[in-house]
Amino acid sequence: MVTLSSELNQAFQQFFQQLNQTTDVPPPLLVAWSGGLDSTVLVHALRHYVAANNLPNDFSTVHVNHGLSPLANDWQQNCELLANQWQIPHKTLVLSLDAGANLEARARRARYHALALHCSEQACLLTAHHQQDQAETLLARLFQGAGIQGLSGMSSLRPLRSVSNNIPDKSQWLGRPLLTVSQQALCDYASENQLTWVTDPMNSDTYYERVFMRSELWPVLAKRYQYPTASIAKTAQLLQQTLALLTEYQNLDWQVWSQNALSFDWPYLLNMSWPRQQSLIARWFDTHHFLSLRRQHWEWFQQQAFEAEPKRHPQILVAGLPMQRYQSRIYYPAIAPVFDIPITDYEQLQEWVNGHWPIELNVLEDLYVFPLRLRNRQAIDNFSGVSLKKWFQSRGVAPWLREAWPVVDSKAGCFLLGVN
């Protein structure tokens, strides 16, 4: 008979309480199973917890074979063998990665993309990050000079889409139910239940930051402090609470700020302190583009975007794409969307305008005949004249948007969207 320790049982209770408060219906649970000790314990323990508590969540596992280690097929077979033995629905995903720079980062992006595609809608992908992983995350970010958001570490539940910008489904979740569980508790559980697991040879290579921490740093800290990992992980938890409080206050600014996914109003920020400005801009980039700005970007805001003469339109690259100030708004990316799509009804047209066009447009339903075709303005289109130029100027439309303005093609004729 399997008995969960109080530490594991409490961690699962807290996680499912949070999950049930966040989701409308009990989501399917999909455990990312590497075959190592941590994920093997998570699979075994959670399977028994779900069954013992008669939880309605579907439960399955998935293994990603990156093909980067000579032992990759052995790890895959170990997971498949145990899944069959424990009667757990299981799937293996095989990736093909080219050699080259940033292989570890590329492997992570590819892994999460593959996992997201495998997940069903509203599913919750579970990983086995535990207390020591949380403490190592905080320390790594501390040494990189991170602020409160970085130092708050990993959250126990967040949208899966937030970990990578190539995940399309907004309804999937990423859960980490073991963040409060110590490494020792996982080892004890594995021993008591006679579990078998695989060991990655890279876990002994101190070239990697986390391996260095485990082999060099933690033993030193343990000589002076009784529970260093637990204390540091607790700090991350307290910082998460502080960050949540700051976010509540920030929401007051966010709700009245004129912004969308492609641009925001910058004069609104000028009466605020720099930290307040910075936090809103950082949230905008994180929310809409999953990006963190670097020092040169913040200097650009202070020295150019907020200080340049009105007739100037300063620009800087962010992740290889231009960010530019034009009149009262800052655009990112400062390029016009490229599109040529069929629109079947007014609701679809309004949804496209709200989600894909950088500035607000007044789109009246009775002006359009559906279905219609929506495309970029082209050089051969006969839209010109002083009145059109004045219309663009009076509304502060950036030059790159004027040239690619949405054009409606329908039985009623061909005309510029929202222009009157």
Side-chain angles (χ1 to χ4, degrees):
M1 179 179 178
V2 175
T3 302
L4 300 187
S5 66
S6 58
E7 193 172 344
L8 273 171
N9 199 61
Q10 183 179 10
F12 287 152
Q13 285 179 348
Q14 292 175 347
F15 176 76
F16 278 100
Q17 181 180 9
Q18 182 184 14
L19 184 63
N20 293 334
Q21 290 173 347
T22 305
T23 57
D24 296 327
V25 295
L29 304 175
L30 178 67
V31 180
W33 191 1
S34 68
L37 184 147
D38 304 334
S39 59
T40 300
V41 168
L42 177 58
V43 170
H44 189 272
L46 188 58
R47 165 177 167 263
H48 285 280
Y49 181 87
V50 169
N53 291 275
N54 296 314
L55 298 183
N57 309 76
D58 289 336
F59 182 83
S60 61
T61 58
V62 59
H63 174 81
V64 179
N65 184 340
H66 299 82
L68 300 178
S69 169
L71 301 175
N73 291 335
D74 294 338
W75 300 341
Q76 173 183 328
Q77 292 170 8
N78 181 74
C79 291
E80 291 171 346
L81 180 65
L82 290 177
N84 183 64
Q85 180 181 330
W86 296 342
Q87 298 182 335
I88 298 173
H90 180 77
K91 176 74 173 180
T92 295
L93 306 178
V94 179
L95 303 183
S96 179
L97 296 168
D98 297 328
N102 301 319
L103 183 58
E104 190 174 2
R106 288 191 290 112
R108 180 181 184 276
R109 286 195 298 270
R111 177 171 68 251
Y112 274 110
H113 182 67
L115 289 169
L117 292 178
H118 176 65
C119 279
S120 60
E121 289 186 5
Q122 300 182 337
C124 184
L125 176 70
L126 302 178
T127 64
H129 294 97
H130 50 76
Q131 187 182 81
Q132 184 170 301
D133 293 318
Q134 180 74 296
E136 289 166 356
T137 297
L138 187 151
L139 283 180
R141 293 177 180 175
L142 177 66
F143 296 142
Q144 294 167 1
I148 185 172
Q149 186 167 5
L151 296 178
S152 63
M154 297 177 284
S155 56
S156 56
L157 186 66
R158 65 184 303 185
L160 179 57
R161 191 168 181 257
S162 65
V163 301
S164 177
N165 59 8
N166 65 349
I167 295 177
D169 194 334
K170 298 180 181 180
S171 68
Q172 299 166 331
W173 295 91
L174 174 64
R176 302 181 179 102
L178 301 181
L179 283 183
T180 60
V181 179
S182 67
Q183 174 76 61
Q184 187 59 52
L186 300 181
C187 292
D188 291 344
Y189 181 92
S191 177
E192 291 167 4
N193 292 278
Q194 300 180 341
L195 302 184
T196 58
W197 61 89
V198 297
T199 301
D200 188 344
M202 291 172 60
N203 289 343
S204 60
D205 187 350
T206 56
Y207 168 80
Y208 298 99
E209 185 175 39
R210 290 182 183 270
V211 177
F212 173 80
M213 288 184 181
R214 291 166 191 172
S215 62
E216 304 290 338
L217 183 59
W218 292 124
V220 173
L221 293 177
K223 293 178 181 178
R224 180 64 178 85
Y225 303 101
Q226 190 172 8
Y227 301 111
T229 55
S231 298
I232 295 174
K234 179 65 176 177
T235 295
Q237 186 178 8
L238 294 173
L239 287 172
Q240 286 180 10
Q241 295 173 6
T242 302
L243 183 61
L245 179 62
L246 291 173
T247 301
E248 283 189 32
Y249 284 109
Q250 187 191 74
N251 284 338
L252 301 176
D253 291 331
W254 183 264
Q255 290 167 4
V256 298
W257 187 26
S258 173
Q259 51 88 20
N260 56 42
L262 298 173
S263 70
F264 60 82
D265 174 59
W266 65 268
Y268 171 78
L269 305 173
L270 295 184
N271 291 328
M272 301 178 181
S273 66
W274 171 240
R276 191 171 162 191
Q277 295 174 3
Q278 197 173 21
S279 67
L280 275 173
I281 295 170
R283 176 173 174 177
W284 186 85
F285 272 95
D286 181 58
T287 299
H288 296 301
H289 301 283
F290 308 108
L291 290 172
S292 296
L293 298 184
R294 300 181 180 274
R295 183 180 63 182
Q296 64 267 28
H297 302 130
W298 296 119
E299 291 175 349
W300 178 83
F301 275 107
Q302 289 185 296
Q303 299 170 11
Q304 297 189 53
F306 294 166
E307 297 294 334
E309 293 295 323
K311 292 184 179 181
R312 292 188 58 211
H313 311 299
Q315 183 184 103
I316 190 173
L317 293 181
V318 179
L321 296 174
M323 172 169 60
Q324 184 167 352
R325 191 195 81 176
Y326 184 80
Q327 295 192 6
S328 66
R329 299 191 76 81
I330 289 177
Y331 294 85
Y332 180 80
I335 52 178
V338 177
F339 52 91
D340 189 342
I341 55 175
I343 301 290
T344 58
D345 54 41
Y346 177 73
E347 183 179 352
Q348 184 186 2
L349 177 62
Q350 191 68 57
E351 182 179 348
W352 183 90
V353 169
N354 293 338
H356 296 85
W357 194 246
I359 56 178
E360 294 182 8
L361 288 180
N362 185 21
V363 180
L364 301 177
E365 183 173 5
D366 56 1
L367 294 179
Y368 303 96
V369 176
F370 299 93
L372 57 81
R373 173 190 172 205
L374 194 65
R375 61 172 175 82
N376 289 105
R377 180 185 181 188
Q378 300 172 0
I380 61 174
D381 290 322
N382 188 26
F383 300 117
S384 60
V386 175
S387 60
L388 179 60
K389 182 178 180 181
K390 289 183 176 180
W391 191 92
F392 282 139
Q393 289 176 339
S394 67
R395 287 157 179 79
V397 177
W400 64 88
L401 295 179
R402 301 179 194 183
E403 297 167 1
W405 196 265
V407 171
V408 172
D409 278 331
S410 71
K411 292 181 179 179
C414 178
F415 49 91
L416 296 172
L417 181 70
V419 176
N420 48 52

